Amino acid sequence: MKILHTADIHLRTVGDERWCALLSILELAKAHRVSLVVISGDLFDRQLDAHKLKPPLRDLMRSLVFPVVILPGNHDVLALRDGDDYGENVTVLASHEQHLDIGDVRLFGLPFEKIVGEKVLQRLLSIKNRRRDGACNILLYHGELLDLSYSGKSFGDEEQGGYMPVRLPFFDNLGIDYVLAGHFHSNFESVRYSDGYFVYPGSPVSVTRKETGIRKVNLFEVGKPPQGEIVSSFHYRDLTVYLNPFSMQDPLETIERALRDSHPDARVQLSVTGFVDLQMAGRTEKEFTAAVRELLTPRVELVSAQWRDISEVRRNPLFIRFLEKLEESGQTEGAKAELRRLAMESMMEASLAN
């Protein structure tokens, strides 16, 4: 039995990048002949979006040959209710008191609530008494696992803290084989606890600029470890291009080649750093900046231009002598590159100080 698990799509309207991500997820599920699709919270961005999108989603879901189970998250907990009609094969687990049997799997839901500590633990203990012997018991959960180290971009635009936090020991000896979670946007993350796996799939589409890199879902076979599966969807990519004035390649070609390697679904956030010998390139700073901007497209945004002109230092007799000595030093290529960088920094600072 194969299960596709995702979360945090944050749908807003039909036809946008998030809607297209949902379509890609469902096509991926069809291609892998899954038995079940699970959405662990924040299918919708707002309650209003859920109200507007219910009719087109109903039409979309009714065409599926596999069941879909949806858990309310902190963004759509007021919008998703037991008995909502998203198609005959769609179930909303709107209460921790519910469970759903699909083949040899029993699903429980822990939808988002504004509770912490002992109350969360009480919800989990109530599930323990309803697990199904001889079956795979799975919990859907939307909130924060405190055992992971989070960065400022982990939850999109939301602040860390207070989102029904749990710790891995909470799940020990509950008889739960998988905790299929949502709320953590950054990337696919799977960790073990005594009985099974706790899994964040990461958002399957870049909801904010903080979710960078190719997106994934959790696609796994019951009884086996979770697996991150790439989904074709819109995402941001942070790309830093370092310009090396000692390279034989034209600096503009260096940038162009780096952009050429970008995934077609990516929107590139480009940063250009390093050093340029503009005298050799035969351009002024403004001309070089204009040439860089000509490489931009609707899918490429220049977010930082930290490059510096090294023309004067490059022709300084002292620097030329330093380069000669460096070549004679027997250092590795990596060490020489770092020493050249440090020397350029130092000489530029010294020239400005004078």
Side-chain angles (χ1 to χ4, degrees):
M1 181 174 181
K2 286 184 180 179
I3 297 176
L4 188 152
H5 158 224
T6 189
D8 300 292
I9 307 175
H10 288 267
L11 292 175
R12 284 182 171 174
T13 188
V14 173
D16 68 356
E17 290 154 343
R18 301 179 191 183
W19 182 267
C20 291
L22 176 61
L23 297 181
S24 293
I25 290 167
L26 297 177
E27 285 301 317
L28 187 65
K30 291 177 186 177
H32 284 270
R33 301 178 181 273
V34 304
S35 302
L36 171 66
V37 168
V38 166
I39 303 173
S40 294
D42 288 355
L43 172 61
F44 302 104
D45 196 51
R46 300 171 300 167
Q47 185 175 357
L48 176 61
D49 300 322
H51 176 73
K52 292 188 300 182
L53 290 173
K54 186 178 288 186
L57 264 175
R58 189 182 295 136
D59 288 342
L60 176 63
M61 297 297 188
R62 278 180 174 154
S63 67
L64 303 178
V65 297
F66 44 78
V68 177
V69 179
I70 304 172
L71 183 79
N74 58 294
H75 274 255
D76 51 17
V77 67
L78 299 177
L80 290 166
R81 299 161 298 179
D82 181 30
D84 282 355
D85 182 14
Y86 287 99
E88 294 178 1
N89 56 348
V90 178
T91 302
V92 176
L93 286 180
S95 168
H96 70 279
E97 297 176 344
Q98 290 177 264
H99 69 262
L100 176 68
D101 288 331
I102 299 177
D104 292 330
V105 169
R106 173 162 288 187
L107 296 159
F108 300 93
L110 197 61
F112 175 76
E113 296 180 79
K114 291 183 178 180
I115 58 174
V116 297
E118 186 177 341
K119 287 188 177 181
V120 178
L121 195 54
Q122 287 173 353
R123 297 280 191 269
L124 292 172
L125 291 174
S126 72
I127 290 170
K128 178 180 180 179
N129 300 324
R130 293 181 285 123
R131 70 186 187 278
R132 180 177 157 198
D133 292 336
C136 177
N137 292 278
I138 295 177
L139 173 65
L140 312 188
Y141 160 77
H142 191 89
E144 293 175 38
L145 177 64
L146 298 178
D147 301 76
L148 290 179
S149 296
Y150 299 115
S151 68
K153 65 181 183 180
S154 297
F155 305 103
D157 285 336
E158 296 173 287
E159 296 294 330
Q160 181 183 347
Y163 287 94
M164 205 164 62
V166 295
R167 292 195 177 276
L168 281 178
F170 285 17
F171 303 103
D172 289 342
N173 304 313
L174 288 181
I176 298 296
D177 300 289
Y178 299 91
V179 179
L180 304 183
H183 189 61
F184 176 76
H185 285 206
S186 296
N187 52 271
F188 177 90
E189 190 81 47
S190 175
V191 292
R192 288 298 308 263
Y193 59 93
S194 65
D195 298 337
Y197 298 91
F198 184 106
V199 193
Y200 281 126
S203 56
V205 59
S206 288
V207 176
T208 69
R209 292 178 179 269
K210 298 175 183 179
E211 292 95 61
T212 57
I214 293 173
R215 313 313 298 160
K216 294 182 179 180
V217 295
N218 175 24
L219 181 63
F220 68 101
E221 189 174 337
V222 168
K224 296 183 179 180
Q227 299 291 328
E229 181 76 17
I230 291 174
V231 60
S232 178
S233 63
F234 167 80
H235 58 275
Y236 286 101
R237 179 193 178 197
D238 286 335
L239 175 63
T240 298
V241 178
Y242 178 83
L243 300 178
N244 179 7
F246 301 97
S247 169
M248 298 301 293
Q249 190 175 67
D250 180 89
L252 291 172
E253 187 179 343
T254 299
I255 299 171
E256 190 172 16
R257 287 187 66 176
L259 291 172
R260 207 179 300 149
D261 293 334
S262 293
H263 193 280
D265 292 322
R267 180 169 294 169
V268 178
Q269 300 177 136
L270 174 66
S271 297
V272 181
T273 185
F275 303 91
V276 184
D277 187 341
L278 289 179
Q279 185 172 326
M280 180 177 288
R283 292 186 175 94
T284 65
E285 288 187 350
K286 283 190 174 182
E287 288 171 341
F288 183 73
T289 297
V292 171
R293 292 194 174 279
E294 286 180 5
L295 299 177
L296 305 182
T297 69
R299 288 283 183 176
V300 180
E301 177 185 2
L302 182 63
V303 297
S304 178
Q306 296 290 321
W307 58 269
R308 284 174 288 178
D309 180 19
I310 199 69
S311 299
E312 290 186 17
V313 170
R314 184 79 182 272
R315 287 154 187 80
N316 184 301
L318 181 60
F319 185 66
I320 294 172
R321 181 61 179 156
F322 166 78
L323 293 180
E324 292 172 351
K325 290 291 186 182
L326 184 61
E327 287 304 313
E328 298 169 0
S329 67
Q331 300 273 1
T332 65
E333 288 304 315
K336 285 192 283 189
E338 179 62 13
L339 289 169
R340 280 194 294 264
R341 185 189 68 78
L342 292 172
M344 287 186 289
E345 294 275 5
S346 299
M347 293 199 69
M348 288 188 77
E349 289 180 11
S351 64
L352 290 173
N354 294 329

